[in-house]
Amino acid sequence: MAAQFSFFDIIWTIFIISAFLPMLKQQHLEMQRMRLIRAIEQKRRSRLITMIHRQELLSLLGLPLTRYINIEDSEHILRAIRYTPPDMPIDLLLHTPGGLVLAAEQIARALEKHPAKVTVFIPHYAMSGGTMIALAADEIVMDENAVLGPVDPQLGNYPAASILETVRLKGIEKVDDTTVILADISRKAINQVEEFVHYLLRGKMGSEKARAIAHFLTSGRFTHDYPITPDQLKLLGLPVRTDLPKEIYSLMELYPQPGQRRPSVQYIPLPYGRPDRDGKR
């Protein structure tokens, strides 16, 4: 007897296929990413880590959900660095608006301590905490139109430097206690970030020049979203190149603006041994 399919059977079949199709597409995309990450690693004999933050949309309400550097990101990247032999270079692909200072400092400090060469690739932008992480690298490779940004601290919705300027302009006797407290915190935050940036740079260019760049980036002379171009970075004396490998562009294309949450940090989660003469591990 021939099977009979009702209209509801057809609808149900379409529903099941529609439910599983996005999952299959995502798995295929993950496989493509991992294959390309591995190919870049084999070509450069390095560990490649990606930290990519996109603005996603909540599927039901269509509201923007902004991704940023957080403690989960620092945990993943610190683990990836621990999996990497001391004599193996690390490549980090950055695409981020910034995020928590604590998490960015953890990542930057770990990269700065890695004995082998550290290269940061920036195809589009790495602002705020992303810039801080980039400063830890031995070399920054950017698209010629990519940008970094200032790393001046922000207290809530306000730049720390602006809080201090408000107190200076009005006079401490004309502001309330809360503003005075915020000004004290702002001063400490600026000093702390400036000292950390100086720490990251002093081994690359000497203490005096590192201090000048640290003050330039943390003093609040620009708005927090001010774009700093590769040409400006070169004038500052930072190790910047603009010959971004084509494989990095290809990898970025495998991170489209998604409609659902995905991990922002990816790497092959295995400890690597030292490469032999043929470049194999």
Side-chain angles (χ1 to χ4, degrees), residues 223-245:
T223 59
H224 196 57
D225 60 352
Y226 176 77
I228 305 177
T229 65
D231 288 340
Q232 289 174 291
L233 295 167
K234 290 176 184 178
L235 288 175
L236 289 173
L238 292 172
V240 174
R241 292 167 38 203
T242 53
D243 53 340
L244 197 71

Side-chain angles (χ1 to χ4, degrees), residues 7-9 27 57 69 110 116-117 131 133 139 161 165 169 174 180 185 196 229 231 243 245 258 265:
F7 174 77
F8 293 103
D9 291 330
Q27 288 180 346
L57 297 179
I69 302 169
K117 183 178 180 180
T131 297
I133 293 171
E139 188 171 57
E165 181 66 6
L169 290 173
K174 294 183 180 180
V180 174
I185 296 172
F196 184 69
T229 65
D231 288 340
D243 53 340
V265 175

Side-chain angles (χ1 to χ4, degrees), residues 152-186:
D152 56 307
Q154 310 292 296
L155 271 63
N157 295 323
Y158 301 106
S162 296
I163 295 174
L164 290 174
E165 181 66 6
T166 299
V167 174
R168 187 190 70 81
L169 290 173
K170 296 187 70 174
I172 195 169
E173 69 281 353
K174 294 183 180 180
V175 296
D176 58 24
D177 290 348
T178 300
T179 305
V180 174
I181 293 171
L182 288 175
D184 180 59
I185 296 172
S186 297

Side-chain angles (χ1 to χ4, degrees), residues 261-281:
R261 185 172 174 81
R262 57 160 177 77
S264 57
V265 175
Q266 286 191 307
Y267 57 93
I268 298 172
L270 294 172
Y272 284 172
R274 296 181 179 181
D276 58 25
R277 293 181 179 178
D278 297 325
K280 299 178 179 179
R281 300 183 183 93

